[in-house]
Amino acid sequence: MTDATETRTPDGRPAGSDLSAQYQPGEVEQRRYETWVSAGYFTADPKSDKPPFSIVIPPPNVTGSLHIGHALDHTIQDTLTRLKRMQGYEVLWLPGMDHAGIATQNVVERQLGSQRLSRHDLGREAFVERVWQWKAESGGAILGQMRRLGDSVDWTRERFTMDDGLSRAVQTIFKRLYDDELIYRAERIINWCPRCLTALSDIEVEHSEDDGELISIRYGDGAMAIVVATTRAETMLGDTAVAVHPDDERYRHLVGTEVELPLTGRRIPIVADEHVDPSFGTGAVKVTPAHDPNDFEIGQRHHLPSLTIMDERAVVTVPGPFEGLDRYEARPAIVDALREQGRIVAEKRPYQHAVGHCSRCKTAVEPRLSLQWFVDTGPLAKAAGDAVRDGRVAIEPVELAKRYFAWVDNMHDWCISRQLWWGHRIPVWYGPDGEVVCVGPDEQPPAGEGWRQDEDVLDTWFSSALWPFSTMGWPERTPDLERFYPTSVLVTGYDILFFWVARMMMFGLYAMDGVQPFNVVALHGMVRDGHGKKMSKSFGNVVDPLDWIDRYGADATRFTLARGANPGSDVPISEEWCQGSRNFCNKLWNATRFALMNGATVAGDLPAESELNAVDRWILSRLQHVVAEVDEHFAGYEFAKVCDVLYHFAWDDVCDWYVELSKPVLSAGGPEADNTRRVLGHVLDQLLRLLHPVIPFVTDELWTVLTRAETVTIAAWPTVDPARIDDAAEEELVALQKVVTEVRRFRSDQGLRPGQRVSAALTGLGNVGIDVHETLIRSLARLDAPGPEFAATATLAVTGGVTVDLDTRGTIDVAAERARLLKDRAAAEKEAVQCRAKLDNAAFVGKAPEPVVAKIKDRLAAAEADLARIAAALEALPSA
RNA sequence: GGGCGCGUAGCUCAGUGGGAGAGCACUCGCCUUACAAGCGAGGGGUCGCAGGUUCGAAACCUGCCGCGCCCACCA
């Protein structure tokens, strides 16, 4: 096979007719990408006069490799940035990666685990060094994947959440928030992962319905006894009260008294609290302030002591028979002990209830009283909500804004300290006498005996929240920041609307004095398999983007993803669809090959409208509509619709009709052929530009061969030329296509081979203004002109007053033809009946808009005309 | 428990007030000199169910059934 690159014209580009018959993406993609980067097309210039367009990439975690979800996310961003580049914007797409604190630390700890080592064996410094090594390896792989995808990112501006600049930004904003009293340290109930041994924020906790056991336990004895229900019997060791609702008549006499807590000998008070739901269980709640967030609040209201009964690994620390038991061992042990005392009143099993799990390791979270750092989200979340409410930030699709509001309007304070080693260390120092000093980026930490820095690091999302401006050099007022902030659009999945988007809004508005981090949030869905199922390793339906890129090309992979991407909706993909996308790329390849073999040109202006034949005018008119539709759909982030419009224009209009119609013109030669070469070149030129944002590689390869220009990457985006919209030509072509299709249908029904010539007389073409196209119609329908011995043996009634009489002596299948005509007659009759019924309806004629009524009348007339011709054709048919 | 969304062809989905569509799959016929990763033709749907609004409903309203997602401190 001859590859496109093996034969080249003297200027180094492949010659058109030397393109191979099949597109081979591998070599093209590698060569194209190197060209783009070395030419600097992706490097943004803050001093440019062009209007700015900027996107910061949602930084992938350094730990992983890019999965198909990233491929979708990147495809959308790359499509937008390439579109804007062509539209004349100064585009910055800023790449980078996230240090992904807990996730990365887990990965490296697992690696150490295989060598029977723990992070403590290495010590903090050596461990962090080890993580940096891992980051270098893993991160490099991700950058390679981005190149394979074709990401037009500005590689000169690549950032990492742990690099010096971003660490400085983290420290700066921490200090500012601290000084503004929006960061505080407090002892609170937090979500604790007993495996990762760290605090978690609310969003790092996933809830799931687990089977448990609801047990009713009698506290106290005799008349003063009270029964409480719990799913977590082991926490009773830490109970410091029983709570009932103040209005609950059953327990009113007990409020203010004390009961003995079984197994402990302690006496605890019975308190009245509004929080208790009298209708649930027994209406009495055991209160464990140190191990339940509700109970903690009840405890605060009633000044109850908090008894911590488990350590950080959720092992019981209360001296006695249960000491040293894990929480799940302690639970049955305690239930057994209570049962022996006859205190178990009822057991309900299984009992479904929601349990929180660590989003990283799936271990059940243990609510735990702990001293941690928090962000006071009140004013920040308010501002984040208002920015969307007042329209400064648009969320696409708008329906997802409701979820956003539900989140920011009910946000709890954000626990930001993590008991990890990998991350930004909290810039707070503690003095020997209890001093607390928050250290800014340009300040020296306090020196002297006894001072030590906080051991904890910040939640990963703390630095992620600064991403839109920290990557541009904040806190300095850099040219990039002046020029490219706020970013134009944030492209990400709806799954991290809360994790990330809401936090960027909070910190962006705060740090940038009320200027939002982005103007638009364009949310896409999750990639799913061909049956709409979630991709998961255990299900075996995971698609590796590199695998598809290797086998079908990056363009095919991107087109498959973009074809399913509408705002907020999930994107189903399958290998068959990727093959279809590959076929589409190949179709473009061959269309261009045809054009080049036939001398299509793109030089100079197009011939005037008046000089062109109807077919040329038609395809140019269609092109204008396509450009308008593509613009409209891009503006709404409806990539699936963009792809649909271009797919059908390219395949149906250009390839199946225009190219076929142009063949007889081109082979005839003369000035009309010259015009067609110009129009064909122009249409392909424009089509390749329109497709370039979505499928950059094949379009650039073809466009440069076609136009002899440098690259389509920085070519101008097509605009609508209203002068080229030609309704008359479009109507003509619709009529022409109808005639051709009708004849083809006849031929197919009759089992005629494509090469088999049939003589035919065409009449009535003038009725629909296509008499000038008779030669074309004969060419496409493979009809010969009637000779001297012509005798019509079959008649085709084409809607619109066109009749085709065919001489099919010796070939016609009378039964097939009769069946076809009967079928047509049935359809026409049904149509006529429907139209008459409508027109007989006085209410319809009276109330429906005039054009609607007129349309029905036209349809009726057409149906009646069809019926007449079909009747005549049936009559003329030889009897079997 | 609260909220959001979805049920249209075998599959995945467009269509949101006036003739039921696409891709893939399927059937038939073709190597017709750009492309068999192709070309031509075709079959296939009481638009989840039941009411209502309207001259007219797949679309708007109400209820029901089924499915999915998000949020969630009733022990």
Side-chain angles (χ1 to χ4, degrees):
Chain A
M1 180 178 0
T2 306
D3 193 271
T5 55
E6 287 173 14
T7 50
R8 287 167 181 261
T9 51
D11 63 347
R13 299 182 189 284
S17 55
D18 291 331
L19 297 181
S20 63
Q22 278 190 0
Y23 172 49
Q24 306 292 338
E27 180 274 337
V28 170
E29 290 178 359
Q30 196 186 335
R31 176 162 46 82
R32 281 287 137 206
Y33 197 82
E34 282 165 15
T35 307
W36 295 333
V37 173
S38 60
Y41 300 141
F42 306 155
T43 307
D45 176 10
K47 294 190 292 291
S48 155
D49 293 335
K50 300 173 179 174
F53 181 87
S54 56
I55 294 183
V56 289
I57 206 164
N61 292 356
V62 276
T63 43
S65 56
L66 298 188
H67 54 66
I68 194 75
H70 291 114
L72 170 67
D73 193 50
H74 290 206
T75 294
I76 292 172
Q77 290 171 73
D78 195 44
T79 297
L80 287 174
T81 49
R82 286 177 184 275
L83 170 70
K84 293 296 172 179
R85 213 172 271 123
M86 292 176 76
Q87 287 179 338
Y89 289 80
E90 186 62 33
V91 172
L92 168 61
W93 183 17
L94 193 150
M97 283 179 282
D98 194 285
H99 69 282
I102 191 167
T104 307
Q105 175 159 332
N106 278 353
V107 168
V108 177
E109 282 192 284
R110 221 172 296 133
Q111 289 179 343
L112 288 175
S114 65
Q115 302 164 36
R116 307 228 169 271
L117 290 172
S118 81
R119 63 174 149 127
H120 299 283
D121 295 327
L122 271 70
R124 184 164 191 152
E125 205 172 315
F127 178 79
V128 169
E129 183 53 38
R130 177 108 182 198
V131 181
W132 276 105
Q133 283 170 20
W134 163 245
K135 181 259 169 187
E137 294 169 34
S138 181
I142 289 172
L143 302 180
Q145 287 178 303
M146 290 171 64
R147 290 184 159 81
R148 294 294 308 277
L149 275 167
D151 289 354
S152 62
V153 294
D154 185 345
W155 291 110
T156 67
R157 287 175 165 83
E158 186 199 335
R159 305 307 297 265
F160 180 55
T161 49
M162 287 277 281
D163 69 28
D164 289 344
L166 272 67
S167 298
R168 184 179 167 80
V170 166
Q171 199 175 351
T172 303
I173 198 162
F174 190 100
K175 173 75 172 161
R176 268 177 68 172
L177 287 163
Y178 182 88
D179 290 345
D180 283 349
E181 295 179 355
L182 290 169
I183 280 183
Y184 63 92
R185 194 178 190 223
E187 191 163 58
R188 290 269 190 94
I189 289 273
I190 46 87
N191 304 297
W192 180 267
C193 176
R195 199 214 67 86
C196 300
L197 301 178
T198 180
L200 303 172
S201 65
D202 290 347
I203 52 178
E204 288 167 304
V205 176
E206 296 170 354
H207 294 265
S208 62
E209 290 280 310
D210 286 11
D211 278 344
E213 197 175 359
L214 187 67
I215 295 176
S216 301
I217 309 168
R218 180 169 46 83
Y219 286 6
D221 290 294
M224 301 305 272
I226 190 162
V227 176
V228 299
T230 183
T231 54
R232 304 204 52 206
E234 72 277 14
T235 63
M236 57 111 21
L237 297 175
D239 286 1
T240 55
V242 171
V244 297
H245 193 273
D247 300 337
D248 195 331
E249 295 294 342
R250 294 171 295 178
Y251 302 118
R252 183 163 286 173
H253 65 290
L254 293 175
V255 173
T257 67
E258 291 189 338
V259 286
E260 184 180 323
L261 184 65
L263 308 178
T264 65
R266 283 193 288 121
R267 295 187 67 79
I268 57 174
I270 294 174
V271 300
D273 193 280
E274 297 278 348
H275 168 78
V276 178
D277 176 1
S279 66
F280 184 89
T282 61
V285 185
K286 61 190 275 305
V287 181
T288 322
H291 293 279
D292 184 280
N294 280 325
D295 294 5
F296 180 75
E297 284 179 21
I298 294 175
Q300 296 282 46
R301 284 196 284 274
H302 299 276
H303 308 291
L304 302 170
S306 296
L307 277 184
T308 297
I309 60 156
M310 284 183 270
D311 67 10
E312 58 187 17
R313 293 176 196 271
V315 170
V316 174
T317 54
V318 181
F322 309 110
E323 186 175 5
L325 292 180
D326 174 81
R327 54 186 166 165
Y328 294 119
E329 298 164 350
R331 188 177 299 170
I334 286 173
V335 171
D336 284 347
L338 289 167
R339 191 177 289 117
E340 275 175 30
Q341 293 190 6
R343 293 197 173 269
I344 304 295
V345 178
E347 296 174 63
K348 192 172 173 187
R349 180 172 44 174
Y351 178 75
Q352 290 266 314
H353 65 133
V355 177
H357 298 263
C358 171
S359 63
R360 276 296 143 203
C361 69
K362 311 303 174 197
T363 303
V365 160
E366 186 62 42
R368 181 181 158 83
L369 189 62
S370 176
L371 186 61
Q372 302 285 347
W373 286 96
F374 294 87
V375 171
D376 173 3
T377 55
L380 301 172
K382 170 78 164 59
D386 288 345
V388 175
R389 254 184 287 271
D390 65 23
R392 276 178 292 154
V393 178
I395 292 182
E396 295 275 354
V398 285
E399 299 84 65
L400 284 170
K402 290 175 197 160
R403 277 194 199 177
Y404 174 82
F405 292 135
W407 173 259
V408 295
D409 294 344
N410 299 291
M411 197 181 291
H412 295 162
D413 281 359
W414 173 16
C415 176
I416 51 171
S417 43
R418 296 289 177 279
Q419 289 65 52
L420 304 170
W421 287 351
W422 176 243
H424 300 97
R425 192 139 169 203
I426 290 176
V428 172
W429 294 71
Y430 305 104
D433 301 315
E435 303 98 319
V436 178
V437 175
C438 179
V439 179
D442 296 318
E443 300 165 5
Q444 288 299 316
E449 196 68 8
W451 284 89
R452 59 181 179 84
Q453 186 175 5
D454 195 301
E455 293 292 323
D456 292 350
V457 300
L458 288 164
D459 181 4
T460 293
W461 298 100
F462 191 94
S463 57
S464 313
L466 315 178
W467 188 252
F469 50 94
S470 62
T471 51
M472 294 184 191
W474 188 89
E476 310 321 318
R477 302 255 14 141
T478 61
D480 276 4
L481 199 61
E482 297 285 349
R483 186 83 175 133
F484 295 113
Y485 188 96
T487 62
S488 307
V489 54
L490 177 81
V491 177
T492 193
Y494 59 65
D495 56 331
I496 55 174
L497 184 60
F498 308 137
F499 286 79
W500 191 42
V501 178
R503 287 178 175 178
M504 282 191 288
M505 289 285 283
M506 292 197 300
F507 279 10
L509 292 162
Y510 174 77
M512 298 299 294
D513 302 318
V515 180
Q516 68 280 9
F518 24 72
N519 298 322
V520 176
V521 180
L523 295 163
H524 59 250
M526 305 295 109
V527 179
R528 295 172 175 275
D529 75 7
H531 295 283
K533 287 209 177 71
K534 209 169 172 175
M535 285 193 180
S536 73
K537 280 176 193 149
S538 57
F539 217 78
N541 60 352
V542 174
V543 170
D544 174 5
L546 278 187
D547 176 44
W548 278 14
I549 291 171
D550 285 341
R551 289 189 292 132
Y552 303 114
D555 288 328
T557 305
R558 293 167 59 120
F559 196 73
T560 305
L561 292 163
R563 236 177 150 179
N566 276 325
S569 65
D570 288 341
V571 180
I573 59 166
S574 78
E575 181 143 358
E576 286 75 27
W577 303 342
C578 189
Q579 286 166 1
S581 302
R582 184 264 321 259
N583 296 354
F584 178 60
C585 294
N586 193 49
K587 191 73 179 171
L588 296 171
W589 181 266
N590 276 294
T592 307
R593 203 157 72 102
F594 171 84
L596 292 165
M597 288 164 104
N598 285 280
T601 55
V602 289
D605 292 334
L606 279 177
E609 184 79 351
S610 59
E611 292 174 30
L612 296 176
N613 67 34
V615 176
D616 288 337
R617 282 184 279 122
W618 161 74
I619 197 67
L620 289 173
S621 184
R622 285 285 304 123
L623 175 65
Q624 308 314 313
H625 295 305
V626 166
V627 172
E629 285 169 35
V630 166
D631 281 345
E632 185 190 332
H633 294 143
F634 267 135
Y637 303 95
E638 295 176 306
F639 303 98
K641 290 183 182 172
V642 169
C643 292
D644 191 59
V645 166
L646 290 172
Y647 180 91
H648 287 291
F649 177 66
W651 206 309
D652 301 348
D653 290 336
V654 175
C655 292
D656 287 347
W657 285 103
Y658 184 67
V659 165
E660 294 305 320
L661 288 162
S662 72
K663 280 176 182 173
V665 177
L666 290 168
S667 59
E672 195 178 343
D674 288 341
N675 283 346
T676 292
R677 278 193 278 271
R678 304 278 290 279
V679 173
L680 178 58
H682 176 77
V683 168
L684 279 178
D685 164 20
Q686 299 288 297
L687 175 62
L688 292 169
R689 291 181 202 228
L690 290 165
L691 281 164
H692 181 255
V694 184
I695 46 174
F697 292 107
V698 69
T699 49
D700 199 34
E701 180 74 358
L702 293 173
W703 194 83
T704 52
V705 174
L706 181 73
T707 64
R708 307 267 139 195
E710 183 183 326
T711 182
V712 70
T713 295
I714 51 170
W717 184 250
T719 52
V720 177
D721 179 357
R724 294 290 178 180
I725 293 175
D726 189 331
D727 293 339
E730 294 196 40
E731 282 174 28
E732 281 182 42
L733 263 289
V734 167
L736 183 156
Q737 289 172 344
K738 250 183 201 165
V739 177
V740 172
T741 301
E742 199 59 27
V743 176
R744 284 173 175 170
R745 190 179 147 215
F746 173 83
R747 295 181 60 108
S748 184
D749 287 349
Q750 289 293 332
L752 300 178
R753 287 157 184 278
Q756 188 164 344
R757 308 301 300 195
V758 178
S759 299
L762 305 174
T763 51
L765 292 176
N767 293 345
V768 287
I770 55 172
D771 36 338
V772 296
H773 301 311
E774 181 166 340
T775 314
L776 276 181
I777 292 169
R778 287 185 180 281
S779 170
L780 265 64
R782 292 165 188 278
L783 296 175
D784 285 337
E789 293 172 21
F790 178 82
T793 54
T795 302
L796 300 184
V798 182
T799 312
V802 179
T803 305
V804 182
D805 290 300
L806 301 112
D807 181 352
T808 58
R809 281 173 295 174
T811 62
I812 189 163
D813 179 340
V814 175
E817 178 61 5
R818 182 181 300 277
R820 198 175 71 86
L821 287 167
L822 289 175
K823 197 172 133 195
D824 283 0
R825 188 174 70 178
E829 272 170 356
K830 190 176 164 192
E831 171 83 350
V833 167
Q834 278 178 356
C835 291
R836 282 198 202 96
K838 282 228 169 194
L839 294 169
D840 287 348
N841 182 343
F844 169 73
V845 177
K847 293 199 178 181
E850 197 278 323
V852 175
V853 178
K855 204 170 161 188
I856 300 291
K857 284 180 180 165
D858 288 350
R859 279 170 52 193
L860 179 59
E864 284 172 341
D866 286 351
L867 283 171
R869 284 191 204 85
I870 291 167
L874 277 169
E875 191 69 26
L877 212 59
S879 49

